[in-house]
């Protein structure tokens, strides 16, 4: 357990595929938040977490990040419910019976400093999380958004959720542009992934250049999606 920034702690583990995995603890007056990634090395630090105020809620980006034994252990120790997008409910229910709260496509705000933003990619209910503290703004991106060799990869090239969700003949897949617009409106100082592979950064601190390139990449995705929607 390491202190990265004021009120932000990180637990570092590894996957069977030699990925580096990060779980985050956000310490805040309205209740601490844990963002677990699979079976991170959290349980051995329960006493330290309790001294920091415990855990009020666990937020996962999608079902791939859920290790049932871990989230249940956190719930048993601190009473922390598991929170995620409703599209992940069935997949997560297969992994854990932990008491849960779900949100919809509108996302969820927790106090004035933290919000969940629906941002489907590899899973129909994938979400990102934004937290502000001490004048700094953090975007927790799972493996969806990464800066790779100077280029932003935002995980939305195909908007896979168009095929992940089942739509009847009378239904139309939702327009993804509002979700992209939500990200474009955010203040950002850091992206905080929960997976790092090869020589990827463990987290990214925006410079003027990378912030500009990030929003340009979003603009390009919005334009591509607008063209796609018009052609449907």
């Amino acid at each position: 357990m390491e202190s990265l920034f004021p009120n932000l702690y990180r637990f570092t583990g590894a996957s069977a595929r030699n990925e580096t995995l990060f779980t985050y603890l956000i310490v805040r007056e309205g209740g601490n938040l844990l963002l677990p990634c699979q079976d991170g090395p959290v349980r051995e630090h329960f006493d330290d977490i309790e001294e920091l105020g415990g855990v009020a809620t666990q937020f996962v980006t999608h079902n791939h990040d859920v290790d049932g034994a871990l989230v249940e252990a956190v719930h048993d120790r601190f009473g922390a419910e598991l929170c995620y997008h409703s599209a992940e409910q069935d997949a997560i229910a297969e992994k854990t019976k932990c008491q849960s709260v779900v949100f919809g496509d509108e996302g969820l705000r927790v106090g004035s400093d933290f919000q969940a933003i629906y941002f489907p990619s590899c899973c129909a209910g994938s979400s990102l999380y934004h937290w502000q503290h001490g004048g700094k703004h953090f975007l927790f991106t799972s493996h969806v958004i990464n800066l790779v060799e100077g280029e932003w990869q935002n995980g939305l090239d195909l908007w896979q959720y168009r095929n992940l969700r089942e739509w009847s003949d009378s239904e139309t897949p939702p327009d993804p542009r509002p979700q992209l617009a939500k990200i474009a409106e955010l203040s950002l100082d850091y992206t905080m992934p929960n997976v790092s592979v090869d020589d990827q950064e463990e987290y990214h601190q925006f410079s003027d250049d990378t912030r500009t390139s990030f929003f340009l990449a979003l603009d390009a995705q919005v334009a591509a999606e607008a063209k796609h929607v018009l052609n449907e």
Side-chain angles (χ1 to χ4, degrees), residues 30-139:
N32 297 345
L33 310 177
L34 185 73
L35 280 60
C37 180
Q38 301 178 32
D39 186 17
V42 177
R43 277 166 282 196
E44 61 215 60
H45 297 283
F46 274 178
D47 290 344
D48 297 324
I49 293 172
E50 187 161 13
E51 288 184 4
L52 292 169
V55 180
T57 309
Q58 304 177 74
F59 281 90
V60 289
T61 54
H62 48 58
N63 72 84
H64 297 164
D65 286 342
V66 174
D67 179 271
L70 174 60
V71 299
E72 289 168 10
V74 173
H75 178 270
D76 291 345
R77 177 68 179 264
F78 303 108
E81 295 176 326
L82 190 61
C83 192
Y84 50 84
H85 189 277
S86 58
E88 299 298 281
Q89 196 160 13
D90 290 343
I92 289 178
E94 295 179 358
K95 297 184 175 185
T96 178
K97 302 304 180 185
C98 181
Q99 187 174 353
S100 299
V101 175
V102 299
F103 54 86
D105 293 2
E106 72 282 358
L108 178 70
R109 287 190 175 273
V110 180
S112 60
D113 61 327
F114 184 87
Q115 64 174 314
I117 302 171
Y118 173 52
F119 204 73
S121 55
C122 67
C123 297
S126 293
S127 302
L128 307 178
Y129 299 106
H130 182 263
W131 175 61
Q132 53 183 326
H133 176 73
K136 300 297 183 183
H137 299 259
F138 302 84
L139 185 65

Side-chain angles (χ1 to χ4, degrees), residues 162 172-173 175-177 222-232:
R162 293 175 183 273
T172 301
D175 185 347
R177 289 173 291 174
V222 169
E225 289 300 330
K227 183 178 180 180
H228 182 88
V229 170
L230 289 172
N231 289 335
E232 284 187 342

